Amino acid sequence: ADMDAKQQLKVKLSLLATYQANFTQTVVDIENTLLQQASGRIVLQQPNKLYWELFEPNESVLLADGDNIWNVDPFLEQVVVNSADVALDNNPLILLTNPDSSKWQEFTVSQSDNQFIITPLELNGGIESLRLVFNGDLLVELESQDGQQQKSVLSFSDIKQNKPLPANTFIFVMPEGYELDDQR
Amino acid sequence: CATPPKPTVSLNSAAHQLSLEQQDHWLIKGKLGFKSPEKKQSANFRWQQTQDQYQLNMTSIIGTSLLNMRGDDEGVTLVADDETYQDADASHLIWRVTGWQIPVEKLRFWIKGQHQNKDQVITSEQGWVSQLQPICDNCENWLINYDNYKLVDKVWLPHKVVLNNSLNNSQLLIRINTWDLHE
């Protein structure tokens, strides 16, 4: 039951040393009202490295480099940085890049054929469930749901799994003229 | 020349104000930013207005809900960090929960560049409002600048609105990606 689902998911995730894809993001509220539609790009690398970019007109970047989480906000020309372990606490997204982390004990996993649903044992705001949809070993969709039952669905395209990544993919560079809001 | 010359627009400002007044059922999506000496934050937002009823949703980069506010002239409900708050005054409520200074009740008009007769206004050569200094009770500390007007279903609407609050030296930046006007 749960153990097999978590084990199976960990096996699938361990195959993803790196993951890159473009995505369309659709965000709906509990009444299925469309709140936001965006396109972007995601890059994952084990362990604990995540690059998440939304393209124009929602341009912003979230970069987890293993130590810190950098939030680049071109609209305000500002970067907000938090330490990674603070943000990781119950954000399953980054956990995807760490199949053998002990943090998995804080989550339950259920499976129905090619879909896995990750749920934190302790719900304290932020993401309350993460649904991964696989097509064979290919991760094709990621849906997160928060405490307000607001859903964000990412549909992936141009998927590359286990391809080498440019060395600077997860190196944060402070954009020219931006302010830093250091919350570490 | 590189870019075609901008078509000269010259609106009758009274007529333009009337066209704005008629728009009381609309939907905006874009970017909302707040700057004050204490904080600088931004979020993607969706704002729906139907007469006095409104719904504002602010969403994080990964798609989670930052704030969800619904209300009308009678009262307002706001949900943030999974806590629910209620109040009669929306501007006061959003300020005490988030620290953001947003003139919710008035923004319904100000967001369009619509003004009252007694407001102090600078009208651009095109005929739309480029700066608005509202004159009403507890409005006097606002100064609003408009930019990036575009035609939306035959109505010229601003797509960049900056509300400066001199009382606490804060700024509300609104970049509108899409206006949807419903008949």
Side-chain angles (χ1 to χ4, degrees):
Chain A
D2 171 37
M3 198 43 210
D4 319 344
K6 191 181 280 190
Q7 211 42 42
Q8 287 212 344
L9 177 57
K10 283 186 171 188
V11 165
K12 277 205 185 292
L13 291 176
S14 58
L15 295 174
L16 298 183
T18 68
Y19 181 86
Q20 308 166 66
N22 289 329
F23 60 75
T24 56
Q25 176 194 43
T26 305
V27 181
V28 293
D29 69 6
I30 191 169
E31 291 152 358
N32 238 348
T33 308
L34 178 63
L35 301 183
Q36 182 179 299
Q37 263 180 316
S39 55
R41 177 162 170 66
I42 189 169
V43 186
L44 297 166
Q45 180 181 301
Q46 293 179 8
N48 299 335
K49 294 193 176 59
L50 159 79
Y51 174 89
W52 175 301
E53 176 183 3
L54 287 187
F55 299 147
E56 295 270 346
N58 306 292
E59 64 287 1
S60 42
V61 168
L62 185 72
L63 171 60
D65 61 13
D67 303 320
N68 301 298
I69 313 265
W70 306 88
N71 210 309
V72 181
D73 180 353
F75 186 58
L76 292 180
E77 293 191 345
Q78 168 182 264
V79 173
V80 180
V81 60
N82 282 286
S83 67
D85 44 30
V86 163
L88 177 62
D89 277 356
N90 64 4
N91 180 342
L93 268 178
I94 298 174
L95 204 52
L96 301 182
T97 65
N98 214 337
D100 37 37
S101 150
S102 59
K103 286 262 184 204
W104 278 93
Q105 292 150 15
E106 299 164 24
F107 295 83
T108 62
V109 177
S110 63
Q111 178 181 4
S112 63
D113 48 69
N114 60 351
Q115 296 191 21
F116 294 85
I117 298 179
I118 308 171
T119 316
L121 289 174
E122 237 182 79
L123 300 178
N124 41 30
I127 292 179
E128 282 200 1
S129 78
L130 201 58
R131 187 170 59 85
L132 285 76
V133 180
F134 285 88
N135 183 346
D137 284 337
L138 205 63
L139 176 61
V140 292
E141 194 178 292
L142 183 66
E143 178 194 288
S144 64
Q145 189 165 315
D146 69 12
Q148 298 308 309
Q149 280 71 51
Q150 179 165 311
K151 273 194 250 178
S152 162
V153 180
L154 299 185
S155 306
F156 297 125
S157 58
D158 317 317
I159 299 165
K160 297 193 189 75
Q161 294 190 169
N162 299 326
K163 292 286 182 293
L165 296 174
N168 59 6
T169 305
F170 301 101
I171 308 291
F172 173 71
V173 175
M174 188 68 180
E176 197 53 40
Y178 280 41
E179 262 180 46
L180 181 66
D181 174 1
D182 194 335
Q183 299 189 353
R184 289 170 293 189
Chain B
C1 50
T3 54
K6 269 236 191 285
T8 51
V9 174
S10 67
L11 299 168
N12 166 308
S13 52
H16 181 234
Q17 283 296 309
L18 198 59
S19 70
L20 295 178
E21 201 180 318
Q22 282 151 2
Q23 304 306 330
D24 67 358
H25 186 165
W26 42 260
L27 171 63
I28 297 178
K29 286 184 187 158
K31 212 61 175 194
L32 201 58
F34 179 72
K35 281 187 193 175
S36 73
E38 299 79 32
K39 66 171 67 187
K40 262 167 78 169
Q41 289 171 321
S42 83
N44 295 323
F45 81 101
R46 176 187 186 276
W47 181 302
Q48 178 160 356
Q49 188 84 38
T50 309
Q51 282 88 35
D52 68 319
Q53 290 181 332
Y54 54 85
Q55 177 178 340
L56 169 65
N57 290 75
M58 286 161 64
T59 303
S60 76
I61 180 173
I62 55 171
T64 55
S65 168
L66 294 173
L67 177 138
N68 177 350
M69 182 171 70
R70 283 175 196 237
D72 53 30
D73 287 345
E74 271 74 47
V76 56
T77 303
L78 185 147
V79 179
D81 292 334
D82 294 343
E83 297 280 342
T84 302
Y85 308 84
Q86 273 166 335
D87 202 306
D89 178 332
S91 306
H92 178 65
L93 179 57
I94 201 163
W95 174 75
R96 72 178 162 90
V97 173
T98 67
W100 287 41
Q101 195 82 20
I102 303 184
V104 178
E105 296 79 2
K106 298 288 184 194
L107 205 49
R108 167 183 175 193
F109 309 105
W110 293 349
I111 193 90
K112 298 182 283 185
Q114 185 184 336
H115 66 85
Q116 310 280 353
N117 296 340
K118 56 185 185 312
D119 294 337
Q120 283 183 341
V121 171
I122 295 176
T123 303
S124 67
E125 56 173 357
Q126 290 92 346
W128 52 61
V129 171
S130 53
Q131 188 180 75
L132 164 58
Q133 186 170 359
I135 309 292
C136 41
D137 34 28
N138 67 51
C139 290
E140 51 292 328
N141 35 48
W142 287 106
L143 182 66
I144 307 162
N145 292 308
Y146 296 91
D147 209 348
N148 201 3
Y149 273 80
K150 293 181 200 157
L151 200 54
V152 179
D153 305 342
K154 302 200 232 27
V155 183
W156 286 93
L157 286 161
H159 287 67
K160 185 172 179 235
V161 183
V162 176
L163 299 94
N164 301 284
N165 186 306
S166 54
L167 203 59
N168 49 35
N169 196 5
S170 69
Q171 227 183 18
L172 185 66
L173 302 132
I174 305 175
R175 187 183 68 200
I176 296 166
N177 295 333
T178 55
W179 273 97
D180 285 314
L181 303 179
H182 304 279
E183 274 62 49

